[in-house]
């Protein structure tokens, strides 16, 4: 019985929680598309029968919270309680999202090729959750800190998946460690270089020396160097291509880039690879060979280097594993890539190397272009752009072609997720583990599809992909990026919320810039009784059903075993009672056992509340007010501004701002609001002056004033400013002075001082005239370039350089003309390669430039760019002079940057004042737009008989809500335009103009209770006053009549709307009352409080009582409160408290519609039945409701109160008769008590006599129970239980009960009766008590518990 009493409540709880498990969020109905995720949850579970995690494949559920994986329930997850929405994918595969470390997104500069938006949409549709963008094919290439910033700017708000960036290793920075470190410090994840011409002019190739020096720098950062390993021989080989070969033939192109190019590059890297070994010159650096194509000699060389200890990794691409040269059609340039697709035997060798672990990972090498560059109609392999467009298809392509080789899902994860994550330094990606990013792909490997025209393709140009027309297996269902469902059922999320990933300076972890999903930072723990455990390694060794035992343990790029991050110490457990594995990530001991298995991310230790009166069983809790911080008041302010739509007013004000800083401030809600009455009055003065200025049709000219705050801050931090940035500062300073001079001139024309409030803003500003003159002397503001006159040395250098260039260009023109005439080039070509002037010549005619130096070649290799021997010295001079010129320009810019840095406080002050002036003018323009009037701040104590309005603290006539008014004017204009264009019928529907409201609140009123019909305008009235209060504090006019007056409120606090929250377990009532609690805590004597439908959402009687108490409490602690209600009892407070006032929203009984006018001093009705009738409600229901209304009228209530009084009186009489009977019983009990007491008084004498007899006999031994029974002359005290002769053992442990009973027996007087209460629990205490009583020498006899006294034993003590 006792055990079942404990189990049943637990079973009940389990049943409730199991019911919660069965709730699975309807997946198809959750697709929205308005925000970052198609799934409208931040905390949810996803599950399937095939989840790839910890080297196994089997049933599991994954908990996602705040963008991270919070827990993993492995096994029979349906038996585990999931208190969140569950998306069950059945038998689809859930595995880590793919990470593609080799993709060309081509932005900025070549967005027509692909672009961040289309590229990341295609990636999401293909299950890719992270891309690393290559530094070339965009323009400019990412080879410096500045060009990286251009790429980051281009990526903003366009990413559907996370994107990191590789930087470029080129000759310009390879031998300049400072430039290279600047690029690495800016956040690139590593570097990429070409050992052959890249085909991109601003990304020249590098040689082994460049690579070796670059590795030395990379070793400090422990980041990889990715190498395109193809190398053109220095001297043309004997087997040069025959000009007569067909360029449409793929065999021709394959011959142009033989496998020996890859072999030659790897041989040239021998020393570089040696340097990465332990103890080497570049120890800590990492070489990564991209898109390996040759699986013969080149692969053997790389395998040898790995075995020798080189820190080396290798990737290949799906197109090398899917296609072979024999099946590439002639003229189909979609298959052109570099290095090229080789023969079928080579493809088989690549698969073998991948399966054997010699190749580490896969990447797409997605390299699209515009269709015209692919020359698909011409079919010329030698001229077409090379690159396979493949982002969306790499997962199904890999799976489709790998099935015949027996690849497993774990191998896919290793090649596409784990190894790429390690290469890119992403320690929180690439696996499904707690604490990792929730980057997940859900797909069906068995689903087949034909990649035809009907299949949705999200690349910029679908027709250039070589995979079109192929039959593939593996359909992607859903893609999650940081917990956001970005792709599902062929639909993308409505917003691009992927982030750019930048490495920090020590490469410990990546730093995320751009939008980051808000996360609580902690993870909920389950209340689990810790009972059993096994370790991660034990669990990983136990292969679940569906796990391939052939799959080796995941290994890192360098061969080490991959482990979860250090912050995620994983504990696991097994149990015989459950097939579920709950994996818990925490700092649990190594030997703890759980009844289930949970893997969960760590959370902060929960806060604990201690009680001050634990001994008495009561709790002393800290006052809620003491727990509040200034953040609570700030939170209320922001919520109030949101409820009153203050942000919309600020955004509207942005339309009238003239400067970028002003528009940004308004758009972000940073409109200045007076922190005191004096400050607000100053803002109102400025607005009035701006209205007068704009009324004269002479607006101030802010043209040229830019937002230079970021530039000036950068200069103060020590960054060298570019010429355009310095020019921007100069223009802004000059424009600021122009604004002051214009305003000063206008003020002089108006001696009445009407513009003084505006002029005062700029009176004490330093316009830094000397700095402006210096900038204009040194720089051309139009061209943003340093002028020759900036320094004498710069002028001399430029003069010499112009002369040298003239000679060099003349020489090269002559040389190019001669080459053209000799047939060595189609047209004379003078260009620049690797910062040196050169000429173009066909590869077959390079002999026309004897002694010339090959600087580069075209992408096809058919054209060389050569520097003639006679031009070498001139080029050397040009390079030297260019460097000298740049150095002198930097010196000039450094001087100007220093001056700007020194002037930072003055510039910031001046720009702040310009912003203040701009916002004042914007407020003036807005006031004219809405016909606003200037409000005045009232004083409750300054009423006069001459001014009736002075008797009111709030006196506003004809106020209209500014947003509703603008909406009306906008609709009128739109309708007029449509009528003018003939787009509307004769009847034009336009919303009515907002009804003007009159607001009059007397000086002695503190609480205004507004009642009236539903949809009658109560809330709108309250919002209008709240918004008018905020606008007046911010110096803004609002639409009204006359001269409105209202108090200056230090705070405007609002409880408007439904604050129900399932996430925080708040009902409508608890949400509202929670908000009111905060308001009560922060309110002050000068506050305005707005409460909508106070006390609603609960029992009306309790709601009225609580509301009354709150309002009376607030009445003495604030300036004014406006409350709306449907409770008539709140309107009656006016009759008992002068601080209360009533107001009602007018309702027209004829039309059964509200008029939206407010009647002060009146009480309104809800008119719920009338409104229900007007919308066509069933009349029978309304008639029945009317009967109930009549029953609840006051006179009916009095009748019912009389009946209730009579009933209570009869009840009282009944209770009195029962009390008399109880008194009679009490009298009988007292008689019995007195009788027992008289017998007890003689006990002492009887005990003394017995002791004398015993002493006389000299008996010392213990008498037996039989002897005790024979002593008829011995009598015990009456067996009447009292508190003094009772010992209560209930609730004690056996040892404690034994001690208590021994003490009680020892303390008993002789011949005392002792009652032992042991209860009816497990029986352990009872057995202990009986054992003691039977063996104790003083216990004469015992009486077991009786039906009248369960759980109690009586003992007779000698």
């Amino acid at each position: 019985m006792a055990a079942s009493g404990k189990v049943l409540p637990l079973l009940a709880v389990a049943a409730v929680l199991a019911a919660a498990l069965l709730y699975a969020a309807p997946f198809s109905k959750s697709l929205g598309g308005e925000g970052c995720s198609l799934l409208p949850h931040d905390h949810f579970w996803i599950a399937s029968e095939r989840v790839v995690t910890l080297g196994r494949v089997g049933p599991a559920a994954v908990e996602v919270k705040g963008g991270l994986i919070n827990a993993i329930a492995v096994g029979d997850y349906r038996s585990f309680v999931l208190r969140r929405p569950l998306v069950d994918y059945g038998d689809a595969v859930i595995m880590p999202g793919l990470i593609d470390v080799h993709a060309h997104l081509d932005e900025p500069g070549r967005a027509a090729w692909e672009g961040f938006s289309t590229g990341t949409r295609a990636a999401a549709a293909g299950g890719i959750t992270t891309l690393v963008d290559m530094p070339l094919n965009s323009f400019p290439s990412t080879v410096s800190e500045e060009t990286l910033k251009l790429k980051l700017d281009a990526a903003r708000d366009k990413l559907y998946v996370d994107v990191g960036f590789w930087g470029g290793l080129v000759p310009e920075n390879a031998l300049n460690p400072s430039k290279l470190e600047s690029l690495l410090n800016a956040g690139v994840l590593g570097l990429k270089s070409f050992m052959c011409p890249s085909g991109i002019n601003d990304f020249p190739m590098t040689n082994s020396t460049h690579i070796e020096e670059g590795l030395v720098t990379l070793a400090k950062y422990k980041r990889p160097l990715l190498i395109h390993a193809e190398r053109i021989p220095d001297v043309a080989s004997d087997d040069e291509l025959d000009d007569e070969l067909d360029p449409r033939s793929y065999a021709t192109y394959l011959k142009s880039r033989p496998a020996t190019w890859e072999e030659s590059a790897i041989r040239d890297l021998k020393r570089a690879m040696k340097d990465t070994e332990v103890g080497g010159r570049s120890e800590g650096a990492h070489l990564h060979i991209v898109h390996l194509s040759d699986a013969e000699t080149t692969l053997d060389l790389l395998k040898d280097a790995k075995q020798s200890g080189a820190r080396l990794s290798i990737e290949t691409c799906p197109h090398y594993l899917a296609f072979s040269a024999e099946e590439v059609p002639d003229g189909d340039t979609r298959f052109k890539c570099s290095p090229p697709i080789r023969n079928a035997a080579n493809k088989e060798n690549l698969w073998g190397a991948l399966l054997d672990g010699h190749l580490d990972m896969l990447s797409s090498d997605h390299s699209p272009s515009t269709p015209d560059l692919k020359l698909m109609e011409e079919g010329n392999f030698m001229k077409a752009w090379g690159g396979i467009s493949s982002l969306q298809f790499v997962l199904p392509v890999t799976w489709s072609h790998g099935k015949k080789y027996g690849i497993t899902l774990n191998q896919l994860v290793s090649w596409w997720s784990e190894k790429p994550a390690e290469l890119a330094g992403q320690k929180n990606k690439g696996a499904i583990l707690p604490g990792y990013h929730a980057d997940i792909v859900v797909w069906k490997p068995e689903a087949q599809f034909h990649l035809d025209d009907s299949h949705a393709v999200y690349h910029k140009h679908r027709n250039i992909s070589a995979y079109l027309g192929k039959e593939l297996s593996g359909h992607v269902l859903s893609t999650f990026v940081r917990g956001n469902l970005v792709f599902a059922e062929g639909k993308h999320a409505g917003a691009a919320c992927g982030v750019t990933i930048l490495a920090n300076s020590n490469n410990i972890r990546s730093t995320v810039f751009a939008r980051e999903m808000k996360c609580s930072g902690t993870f909920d723990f389950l209340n689990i009784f810790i009972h059993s455990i096994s370790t991660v390694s034990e669990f990983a060794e136990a292969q679940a059903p569906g796990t391939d035992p052939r799959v080796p343990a995941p290994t890192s790029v360098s061969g080490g075993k991959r482990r979860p991050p250090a912050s995620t110490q994983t504990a696991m457990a097994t149990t015989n009672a459950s097939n579920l594995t709950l994996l818990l990530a925490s700092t649990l001991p190594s030997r703890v056992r759980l009844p289930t298995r949970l893997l969960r991310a760590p959370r902060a230790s929960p806060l604990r509340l201690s009680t001050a009166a634990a001994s008495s069983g009561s709790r002393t809790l800290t006052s809620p007010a003491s727990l509040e911080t200034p953040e609570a008041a700030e939170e209320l302010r922001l919520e109030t501004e949101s409820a009153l739509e203050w942000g919309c007013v600020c955004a509207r004000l942005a339309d009238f701002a003239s400067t970028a800083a002003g528009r940004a401030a308004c758009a972000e809600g940073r409109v200045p609001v007076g922190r005191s009455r004096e400050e607000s009055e100053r803002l109102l003065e400025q607005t009035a002056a701006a209205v007068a200025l704009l009324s004269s049709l002479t607006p101030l000219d802010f043209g040229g004033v830019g937002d230079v705050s970021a530039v000036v801050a950068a200069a103060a931090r020590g960054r060298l400013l570019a010429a355009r940035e310095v020019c921007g500062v100069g223009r802004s300073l000059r424009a600021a002075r122009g604004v002051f001079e214009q305003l000063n001139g206008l003020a002089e024309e108006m001696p009445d001082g009407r513009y003084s409030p505006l002029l005062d803003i700029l009176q004490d500003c330093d316009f830094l005239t000397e700095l402006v003159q210096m900038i204009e002397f040194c720089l051309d503001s139009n061209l943003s370039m340093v002028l020759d006159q900036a320094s004498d040395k710069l002028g001399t250098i430029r003069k010499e350089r112009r002369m040298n260039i003239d000679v060099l260009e003349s020489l090269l023109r002559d040389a190019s003309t001669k080459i053209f005439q000799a047939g060595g080039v189609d047209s004379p070509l003078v260009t620049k390669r690797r910062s040196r002037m050169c000429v173009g010549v066909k590869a077959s005619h390079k002999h026309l430039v004897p002694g010339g130096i090959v600087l580069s070649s075209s992408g096809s290799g058919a054209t060389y760019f050569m520097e003639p021997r006679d031009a070498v010295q001139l080029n050397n001079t040009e390079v030297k002079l260019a460097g000298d010129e740049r150095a002198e320009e930097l010196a000039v810019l450094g001087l100007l940057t220093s001056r700007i840095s020194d002037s930072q406080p003055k510039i910031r002050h001046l720009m702040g004042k310009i912003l203040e002036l701009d916002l004042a003018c914007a407020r003036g323009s807005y006031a004219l737009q809405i016909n606003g009037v200037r409000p005045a701040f009232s004083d409750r104590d300054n009423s006069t008989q001459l001014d009736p309005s002075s008797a009111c603290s709030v006196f506003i006539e004809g106020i209209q809500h500014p947003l509703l008014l603008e909406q009306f004017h906008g609709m009128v204009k739109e309708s007029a335009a449509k009528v003018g264009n003939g787009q509307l019928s004769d009847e034009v529907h336009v919303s009515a103009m907002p009804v003007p409201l009159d607001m009059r609140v007397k000086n002695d009123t503190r609480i205004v209770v507004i009642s009236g019909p539903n949809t009658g305008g109560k809330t709108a009235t309250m919002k209008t006053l709240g918004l008018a209060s905020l606008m007046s504090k911010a110096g803004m006019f609002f639409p009204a009549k006359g001269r409105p007056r209202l108090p200056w409120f230090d705070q405007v606090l609002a409880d408007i709307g439904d604050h129900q929250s399932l996430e925080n377990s708040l009902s409508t009532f608890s949400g509202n009352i929670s908000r009111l609690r905060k308001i009560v805590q922060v309110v002050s004597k000068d506050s305005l409080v707005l409460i909508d439908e106070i006390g609603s959402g609960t029992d009306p009687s309790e709601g009225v009582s609580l509301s009354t108490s709150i309002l009376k409490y607030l009445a003495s602690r604030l300036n004014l409160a406006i409350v709306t209600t449907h409770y008539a009892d709140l309107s009656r407070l006016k009759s008992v408290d002068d601080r209360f006032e009533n107001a009602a929203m007018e309702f027209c009984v004829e039309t059964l519609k509200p008029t939206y006018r407010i009647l002060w001093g009146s009480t309104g009705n809800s008119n719920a039945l009338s409104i229900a009738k007007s919308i066509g409600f069933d009349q029978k229901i309304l008639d029945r409701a009317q009967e109930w209304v009549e029953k609840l009228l006051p006179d009916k209530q009095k009748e019912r109160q009389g009946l209730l009084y009579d009933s209570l009186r009869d009840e009282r009489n009944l209770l009195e008769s029962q009390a008399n009977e109880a008194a009679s019983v009490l009298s009988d009990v007292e008689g019995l008590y007195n009788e027992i007491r008289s017998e007890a008084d003689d006990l002492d004498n009887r005990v003394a006599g017995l002791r004398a007899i015993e002493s006389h006999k000299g008996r010392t031994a213990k008498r037996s129970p039989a002897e005790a029974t024979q002593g008829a002359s011995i009598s015990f005290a009456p067996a009447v239980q009292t508190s003094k002769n009772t010992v209560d053992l209930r609730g004690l442990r056996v040892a404690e009960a034994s001690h208590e009973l021994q003490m009680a027996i020892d303390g008993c007087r002789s011949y005392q009766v002792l009652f032992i209460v042991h209860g009816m629990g497990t029986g352990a205490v009872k057995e202990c008590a009986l054992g003691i009583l039977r063996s104790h020498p003083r216990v004469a006899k015992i009486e077991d518990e009786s039906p009248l006294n369960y759980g109690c034993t009586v003992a007779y003590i000698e």
Side-chain angles (χ1 to χ4, degrees), residues 1043-1065:
R1043 184 71 184 274
R1045 294 163 45 87
L1046 73 168
W1048 184 87
F1049 300 108
D1050 63 345
Q1051 297 180 98
V1052 179
L1053 307 171
D1055 176 24
I1056 299 174
D1058 188 352
H1059 306 295
Q1060 183 187 78
S1061 173
L1062 296 179
E1063 179 73 19
N1064 298 317
S1065 300

Side-chain angles (χ1 to χ4, degrees), residues 17 28 113 122 283 350 486 754 943 947 1153 1334:
L17 296 178
S28 59
W113 293 20
E283 180 183 355
L350 280 176
V486 300
R754 67 178 66 178
S943 60
D947 184 7
K1153 293 182 179 179
R1334 291 189 181 109

Side-chain angles (χ1 to χ4, degrees), residues 563-575:
R563 298 181 181 275
S567 61
T568 309
Q569 301 179 22
T570 309
M572 293 182 230
T574 61
T575 173

Side-chain angles (χ1 to χ4, degrees), residues 268-350:
D268 202 38
L269 287 173
K270 184 176 181 180
R271 188 167 64 183
M273 292 188 291
K274 189 73 174 176
D275 287 345
T276 65
E277 296 178 8
V278 176
R281 178 168 174 250
S282 304
E283 180 183 355
H286 179 96
L287 273 173
H288 179 76
I289 305 302
V290 300
H291 50 46
L292 179 72
S293 171
D294 176 34
E296 298 181 359
T297 306
T298 305
L299 179 60
D300 291 338
L301 292 173
L302 291 170
K303 288 160 62 175
D304 292 341
K306 277 189 172 185
Q307 292 175 357
S308 299
R311 197 157 186 265
L312 177 69
S313 58
I314 314 165
E315 77 178 39
T316 191
C317 304
H319 45 268
Y320 299 128
L321 302 172
F323 305 127
S324 60
E326 292 87 344
E327 60 186 291
V328 176
D330 288 344
D332 195 346
T333 54
R334 296 177 303 166
F335 290 84
K336 179 181 178 180
C337 57
S338 301
I341 298 167
R342 306 198 187 279
N343 59 34
N346 185 81
K347 180 178 75 172
E348 293 295 320
N349 290 338
L350 280 176

Side-chain angles (χ1 to χ4, degrees), residues 387-410:
I388 304 290
S389 181
S390 59
L391 269 183
Q392 188 175 336
F393 316 124
V394 292
L395 178 56
V397 167
T398 306
W399 181 253
S400 300
H401 291 273
K403 286 190 297 183
K404 74 174 185 178
Y405 299 97
I407 67 171
T408 66
L409 295 174
N410 281 301

Side-chain angles (χ1 to χ4, degrees), residues 863-1057:
T863 302
Y864 283 175
F865 300 100
M866 301 185 66
E867 181 181 8
R869 179 174 50 195
D870 296 339
V872 172
Q873 185 57 44
L874 292 173
N875 262 326
N876 290 342
T877 303
E878 164 61 16
V879 171
K880 178 182 180 302
L881 291 174
D884 294 343
E885 178 185 4
R886 182 57 180 163
E888 191 62 21
E889 289 176 348
L890 293 178
V892 173
L893 292 175
L895 175 62
L896 296 175
T897 299
S898 177
R899 294 295 179 88
I900 292 174
S901 175
D902 294 341
S903 304
Q904 182 197 21
K906 295 181 179 180
I907 296 175
R908 289 181 59 184
H909 176 73
L910 175 60
M911 291 297 105
K913 292 297 184 180
I914 289 293
L915 173 61
E916 183 180 348
L917 180 60
D918 181 30
L919 293 179
C921 293
R923 295 196 301 270
S925 299
Y926 184 56
L928 293 174
Q929 172 75 15
I930 62 174
N931 294 321
V933 297
R934 176 179 178 178
F937 295 120
S938 61
D939 292 313
R940 291 182 180 271
D941 300 329
N942 292 339
S943 60
T944 63
Q945 296 182 352
L946 299 178
D947 184 7
S949 67
S950 64
C952 297
S953 62
V954 177
F955 186 86
I956 306 175
E957 294 182 320
I959 186 174
Q960 295 172 297
H961 196 291
L963 296 179
L964 295 178
L965 184 62
E966 287 193 73
Q967 181 181 3
F968 166 76
H969 287 312
M971 296 182 66
V972 169
K973 292 180 181 179
E974 181 180 355
S975 300
K978 289 183 178 180
V979 170
N981 295 331
Q983 299 179 15
L984 288 183
S985 59
D986 295 337
E987 185 177 352
V988 180
H989 298 281
V990 179
S991 298
M993 176 180 287
V995 176
L997 300 173
D998 294 337
M999 297 188 179
R1000 299 182 180 89
V1001 180
K1002 297 179 181 179
N1003 286 332
D1004 55 355
T1005 299
R1006 290 294 183 270
I1007 309 291
V1008 176
V1009 179
I1010 302 178
S1011 55
N1014 297 287
T1015 70
K1018 299 187 299 296
T1019 304
T1021 299
M1022 184 170 57
K1023 282 187 173 183
T1024 301
L1025 178 59
L1027 192 57
S1029 302
L1030 288 177
M1031 293 177 70
S1032 61
K1033 286 185 65 177
M1036 299 175 67
F1037 294 4
F1038 50 77
K1041 298 177 182 178
R1043 184 71 184 274
R1045 294 163 45 87
L1046 73 168
W1048 184 87
F1049 300 108
D1050 63 345
Q1051 297 180 98
V1052 179
L1053 307 171
D1055 176 24
I1056 299 174

